[in-house]
């Protein structure tokens, strides 16, 4: 167990790291951020900051020497240089990073566990594209296998399967059939290490780890970016949560997962279709700060420190979380606020405003979010 007062290292300096650092501080921990960007917004609320490249192994070793445990808030942290962290534990285990970093490996992993995914085929070079489309069918989406997020690195292919004029990067890609879904949702869980492998082992308890799920929100995207998460989710989602949770639990157990894990799903006529893993706290779980007894950020810190997990129960009748996204990405359906609207947002006393402290607003950049609870 890592006791309050010790130092937690976080790889990544964005808003997820910032909210993790705030939860850690509440529990009395010191936080050390490691990130390559000098203006890391997580560092502003942390005790220490190492600004260095992901492959700067001497800097990683010095960082590890200051930390009792290291976690991550960014799923594209390069895995190989993490060997420089030596004996400092990394939680969740880096195999979760490896699995989530490659869309092809991730799909094979999940289908081997019995999960359903979109139909898919690898596209290792442009010559493979026609065969992949013939195999999977059109319409579909071509995605970079690595480093894609928030809809970046994706190209839609129409029903005709026509790919003329498509300018693709010289990187391994994956082609996915377009899933016809009625809604998107996520399963967010926290898992603590099985007690038999913890230092203070309690053999009376089961050794399957302690898993808690939050309610699954309906997630609405605009331009590939999450715009809104809300609860209660519609029946089309609620009916599929049990099956999706069963798969997410298998994923967590197969990865010996410790911390908060998110699995994204499409609700379809034939049940939940797995989309992707985020081996970290997730944007669709921001509502848990005000809307659940224990937030995803606090339970992640509890899990990696070996503390008992907090109750994940929803405390309101309903919750809505809207992202504040940089200019031009706000559409009529769900986009509503800009970061400059902070006074307007706060003029409604029911709104909880979270601004991430990012200096410059760019199109598509997540600047903050607003959460509202419905109490009666
Ligand atoms: P991703 O980066 O894979 O999460 O994709 C971003 C968004 O694009 C998803 O949340 C969906 O709205 C949409 N999307 C991705 N893959 C598919 C698919 N195979 N079929 C339909 N929509 C998809």
């Amino acid at each position: 167990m890592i006791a309050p007062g010790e130092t937690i290292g976080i790889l990544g300096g964005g808003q997820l790291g910032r909210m993790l650092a705030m939860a850690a501080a509440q529990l009395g921990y010191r936080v050390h951020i490691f990130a390559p960007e000098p203006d890391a917004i997580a560092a502003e609320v942390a005790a220490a900051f190492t600004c260095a490249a992901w492959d700067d192994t001497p800097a990683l070793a010095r960082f590890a020497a200051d930390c009792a445990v290291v976690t991550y808030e960014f799923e594209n942290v390069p895995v190989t240089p993490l060997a420089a962290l030596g004996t400092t534990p990394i939680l969740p285990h880096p195999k979760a990073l490896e699995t989530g970093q490659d869309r092809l490996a991730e799909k094979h992993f999940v289908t081997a566990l019995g999960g359903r995914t979109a139909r898919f085929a690898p596209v290792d070079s442009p010559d493979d594209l026609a065969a992949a489309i013939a195999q999977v069918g059109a319409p579909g989406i071509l995605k970079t296998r690595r480093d894609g997020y928030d809809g970046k690195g994706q190209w839609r292919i129409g029903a005709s399967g026509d790919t003329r004029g498509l300018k693709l990067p010289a990187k391994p890609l994956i082609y996915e059939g377009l899933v016809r879904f009625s809604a998107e949702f996520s399963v967010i869980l926290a898992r603590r290490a099985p007690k038999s492998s913890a230092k203070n082992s309690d053999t009376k308890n089961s050794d399957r780890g302690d898993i808690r799920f939050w309610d699954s929100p309906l997630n609405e995207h605009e331009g590939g970016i999450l715009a809104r998460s809300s609860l209660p989710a519609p029946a089309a989602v609620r009916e599929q949560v049990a099956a999706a949770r069963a798969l997410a639990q298998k994923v967590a157990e197969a990865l010996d997962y410790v911390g908060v894990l998110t699995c994204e799903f499409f609700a379809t006529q034939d049940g939940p279709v797995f989309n992707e893993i985020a081996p970290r706290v997730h944007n669709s779980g921001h509502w848990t700060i005000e809307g659940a007894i224990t937030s995803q950020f606090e339970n992640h810190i509890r899990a990696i420190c070996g503390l008992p997990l907090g109750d994940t129960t929803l405390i309101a009748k309903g919750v809505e979380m809207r992202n504040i996204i940089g200019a031009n990405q706000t559409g009529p359906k769900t986009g509503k606020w800009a970061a400059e609207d902070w006074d307007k947002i706060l003029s409604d006393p029911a709104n909880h405003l979270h601004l991430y402290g990012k200096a410059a607003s760019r199109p598509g950049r997540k600047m903050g979010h607003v959460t509202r609870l419905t109490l009666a």
Side-chain angles (χ1 to χ4, degrees):
M1 188 182 302
I2 293 162
E6 298 211 52
T7 300
I8 297 171
I10 301 178
L11 297 163
Q15 63 268 20
L16 301 178
R18 182 176 168 106
M19 289 184 271
L20 281 170
M22 282 153 60
Q26 183 193 321
L27 287 167
Y29 292 98
R30 225 182 133 252
V31 169
H32 189 154
I33 299 291
F34 186 106
E37 67 277 14
D39 56 351
I41 52 169
E44 287 173 9
V45 299
F49 177 33
T50 298
C51 180
W54 293 122
D55 59 358
D56 184 339
T57 48
L60 282 166
R62 283 193 301 276
F63 166 71
D66 185 42
C67 300
V69 62
V70 170
T71 188
Y72 42 89
E73 61 100 67
F74 173 57
E75 71 264 41
N76 291 322
V77 173
V79 175
T80 311
L82 297 183
L85 298 181
T87 54
T88 306
I90 308 174
L91 293 173
H93 193 282
K95 68 186 167 190
L97 275 178
E98 263 165 349
T99 310
Q101 281 177 358
D102 182 336
R103 291 185 189 273
L104 185 65
E106 183 180 49
K107 284 204 167 46
H108 283 305
F109 172 74
V110 166
T111 48
L113 292 172
R116 282 181 54 225
T117 67
R119 288 166 56 81
F120 64 94
V123 177
D124 293 326
S125 79
D127 301 341
D128 299 343
L129 184 55
I133 295 174
Q135 183 192 329
V136 169
I141 307 184
L142 198 58
K143 301 179 179 178
T144 52
R145 275 171 57 177
R146 295 181 159 271
D147 297 330
Y149 65 98
D150 283 349
K152 294 184 179 70
Q154 301 193 0
W155 299 266
R156 298 248 168 178
I157 302 211
S160 65
D162 185 0
T163 58
R164 280 172 302 178
L166 211 59
K167 286 211 173 23
L168 299 178
K171 288 181 178 175
L173 305 169
I174 180 171
Y175 178 66
E176 296 179 15
L178 198 72
V179 176
R180 289 182 204 289
F181 57 83
S182 59
E184 291 187 72
F185 68 100
S186 44
V187 171
I188 311 172
L189 65 84
R191 183 173 188 265
R192 197 161 92 122
K195 296 213 171 64
S196 58
S197 67
K199 265 194 196 154
N200 298 325
S201 75
D202 175 355
T203 46
K204 276 183 293 190
N205 284 307
S206 90
D207 66 353
R208 300 206 51 207
D210 189 356
I211 290 197
R212 286 177 186 263
F213 297 91
W214 282 271
D215 282 16
S216 282
L218 169 74
N219 298 330
E220 293 167 81
H221 295 79
E222 284 179 15
I225 304 176
L226 184 71
R228 181 174 180 265
S229 289
S230 56
L231 283 161
V237 168
R238 290 200 310 274
E239 286 158 6
Q240 306 204 356
V241 167
R245 281 186 179 179
L247 179 64
Q249 178 159 353
K250 279 191 199 165
V251 168
E253 288 172 355
L255 293 170
D256 295 322
Y257 202 89
V258 174
V260 169
L261 170 73
T262 309
C263 294
E264 294 180 47
F265 289 91
F266 302 118
T268 76
Q269 270 191 340
D270 308 316
V273 170
F274 167 89
N275 180 27
E276 63 178 353
I277 298 173
R280 53 168 171 77
V281 288
H282 194 257
N283 194 169
S284 65
H286 290 359
W287 64 268
T288 61
I289 297 175
E290 291 90 7
I293 291 180
T294 314
S295 77
Q296 61 167 350
F297 301 101
E298 181 174 342
N299 261 350
H300 184 79
I301 298 297
R302 290 188 190 211
I304 63 168
C305 292
L307 308 183
L309 296 179
D311 191 336
T312 48
T313 305
L314 172 73
I315 59 168
K317 212 171 143 206
V319 187
E320 179 189 59
M321 188 286 310
R322 283 178 190 268
N323 271 338
I324 298 174
I325 297 171
N328 304 330
Q329 293 292 312
T330 51
K333 191 175 66 159
T334 54
K336 197 169 177 185
W337 304 115
E340 306 73 61
D341 294 331
W342 56 267
D343 55 345
K344 236 186 284 171
I345 297 168
L346 292 173
S347 70
D348 182 337
N351 284 336
H352 289 278
L353 174 63
H354 298 252
L355 289 176
Y356 306 146
K358 295 183 183 177
S361 174
R362 284 196 301 269
R365 196 173 197 205
K366 290 176 179 168
M367 304 299 292
H369 69 268
V370 180
T371 303
R372 288 177 71 90
L373 307 187
T374 308
L375 294 171

